[in-house]
């Protein structure tokens, strides 16, 4: 983990309240894995005091990219930052996904399930998985409506088969992403699939139930409000089935879905 000053290469609006930021950060880019995150000081002042966590969205040489939605003061300040400015970043943090890469079984299907801004870390994972070319990569993207569907073309460019669902039916199948997942699983040999997911907790909970019922390994990236980001303040607990609490920042943010006491 390093604390470094990165340089903003670009910071563009790409959807409703949604920005794509590219940072020059060679030392972090060398070390960071899909599913890990960076902890960002959104401003140079003490407002907001705490850093804000963002998942690795993509990496490209010495550059890392994040995709973020403006939801409050920190992300609003970040959205106004300009190319050339310096941003203080701590990272890489967290554990990241543990991709199950089979070089033997070309029938193995990997399914990525992204709800809303959950696409952010899954593009980095798709980037990594697509290097192996041994598995069929299927991506389900769900959102409330068409304008909130992000990264469809990025996934396709990585060779993934993409299915879309929207709650209002404005794009793709109408309904919840978990309905799409159930449909997809009914057409696949689910014993051979691995599911990686990121999105709202309710979606992850429902998806975890589906994966569990079909005995499919499933990794979920959780989001909790964070302070220190390194396991020191005990501010981001998640209850696990053993009756204990784990810290999302240090023990996660990626967990085996069956480990969580949903
Ligand atoms: C490991 C991790 C990775 C993340 N990656 C991304 C990403 O790639 N892209 C992205 O857009 N966001 C991501 N987030 C969420 C992002 O960190 C928050 O949206 C951000 O910190 C909000 O800061 P703010 O000051 O703008 O909003 P605040 O003023 O702090 O909060 C505004 C509203 O958002 C809610 N909120 C804030 N933080 C979270 C959170 N962590 N989980 C759920 N609700 C929250 C608050 O309850 C409040 O309602 C990630 C969070 C975690 C923990
Ligand atoms: S944010 Fe401090 S322990 Fe996780």
């Amino acid at each position: 983990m390093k604390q470094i000053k990165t340089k903003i290469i670009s910071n563009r609006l790409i959807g409703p309240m949604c920005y794509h930021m590219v940072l020059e950060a060679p030392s972090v880019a060398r070390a960071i894995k899909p599913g890990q995150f960076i902890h960002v000081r959104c401003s140079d002042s003490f407002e907001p005091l705490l850093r804000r966590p963002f998942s690795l969205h993509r990496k490209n040489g010495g550059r890392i990219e994040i995709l973020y939605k403006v939801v409050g003061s920190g992300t609003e300040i970040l959205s106004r930052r300009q190319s050339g400015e310096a941003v203080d970043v701590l990272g890489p943090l967290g554990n990241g996904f543990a991709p199950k890469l089979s070089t033997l079984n070309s029938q193995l299907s990997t399914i990525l399930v992204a709800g809303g801004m959950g696409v952010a870390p899954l593009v980095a994972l798709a980037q990594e998985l697509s290097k192996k070319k041994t598995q069929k990569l299927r991506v389900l993207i769900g959102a409330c409506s068409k304008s909130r569907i992000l990264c469809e073309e990025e996934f396709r460019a990585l060779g993934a088969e993409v299915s879309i669902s929207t709650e209002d039916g404005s794009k793709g199948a109408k309904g919840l992403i978990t309905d799409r997942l159930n449909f997809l699983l009914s057409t696949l040999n689910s014993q051979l699939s691995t599911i990686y997911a990121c999105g709202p907790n309710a979606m992850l909970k429902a998806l975890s139930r589906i994966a569990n019922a079909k005995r499919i390994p499933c990794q979920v990236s959780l989001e909790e409000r964070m302070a220190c980001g390194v396991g020191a303040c005990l501010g981001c607990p998640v209850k696990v089935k053993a009756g204990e609490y784990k810290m999302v920042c240090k023990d996660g943010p990626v967990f085996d879905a069956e480990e969580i006491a949903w």
Side-chain angles (χ1 to χ4, degrees):
M1 176 190 62
K2 291 183 165 37
Q3 183 187 345
I4 58 164
K5 285 273 183 210
T6 64
K7 187 170 94 174
I8 300 177
I9 302 299
S10 62
N11 189 22
R12 291 185 300 121
L13 183 70
I14 59 149
M17 306 297 276
C18 182
Y19 288 77
H20 175 253
M21 180 180 267
V22 181
L23 296 167
E24 186 76 47
S27 58
V28 176
R30 264 194 302 279
I32 196 163
K33 294 186 304 179
Q36 288 189 298
F37 67 96
I38 56 173
H39 219 15
V40 177
R41 278 204 67 155
C42 296
S43 79
D44 290 331
S45 74
F46 289 109
E47 183 48 49
L49 183 62
L50 298 173
R51 291 171 183 272
R52 299 292 193 254
F54 300 99
S55 304
L56 172 70
H57 172 53
R58 291 182 79 108
K59 65 176 172 176
N60 190 359
R63 294 178 177 181
I64 54 175
E65 301 172 26
I66 59 172
L67 192 66
Y68 65 95
K69 187 169 168 190
V70 174
V71 294
S73 63
T75 44
E76 198 278 323
I77 291 168
L78 201 61
S79 72
R80 287 191 274 110
R81 305 295 303 269
Q82 302 288 320
S83 308
E85 289 181 15
V87 175
D88 189 303
V89 160
L90 194 63
L93 296 176
N95 58 356
F97 292 103
K100 295 185 173 26
L101 299 168
S102 166
T103 50
L104 298 174
N105 191 342
S106 60
Q107 296 300 305
L108 197 68
S109 253
T110 299
I111 304 174
L112 310 189
V113 185
M117 289 308 295
V119 291
L122 295 180
V123 170
L125 180 63
Q127 220 183 357
E128 190 68 29
L129 292 168
S130 68
K131 288 181 194 160
K132 304 292 172 182
K133 297 201 189 308
T134 52
Q135 302 179 22
K136 180 83 188 159
L137 194 56
R138 298 167 200 271
V139 179
L140 307 185
I141 309 176
C144 50
S145 71
K146 182 179 175 178
S147 65
R148 306 282 167 171
I149 297 287
L150 300 169
C151 303
E152 180 183 353
E153 289 315 314
E154 285 178 81
F155 284 119
R156 286 195 207 283
L158 291 166
E161 190 179 294
V162 181
S163 304
I164 308 283
S165 61
T166 50
E167 285 168 39
D168 64 3
S170 51
K171 183 164 180 157
K174 183 172 182 179
L176 296 175
I177 195 168
T178 41
D179 300 334
R180 261 341 260 167
L181 177 65
N182 270 324
F183 173 74
L184 176 61
L185 292 178
S186 68
T187 65
L188 288 176
N189 180 350
S190 54
Q191 292 298 327
L192 296 177
S193 305
T194 306
I195 299 173
Y196 302 93
C198 185
N201 263 357
M203 175 199 111
L204 296 180
K205 181 177 176 180
L207 185 137
S208 162
R209 212 174 278 147
I210 295 169
N212 195 26
K214 294 192 182 288
R215 299 181 167 280
I216 305 169
C218 176
Q219 295 176 26
V220 293
S221 180
L222 300 185
E223 287 192 8
E224 269 301 324
R225 302 209 69 182
M226 287 184 180
C228 72
V230 295
C233 71
L234 306 183
C236 60
V238 59
K239 195 169 183 183
V240 294
K241 280 188 183 148
E244 301 161 359
Y245 286 88
K246 290 199 170 180
M247 294 303 128
V248 172
C249 66
K250 182 167 150 283
D251 305 311
V254 180
F255 293 88
D256 274 332
E258 61 178 26
E259 190 184 355
I260 305 295
W262 298 102

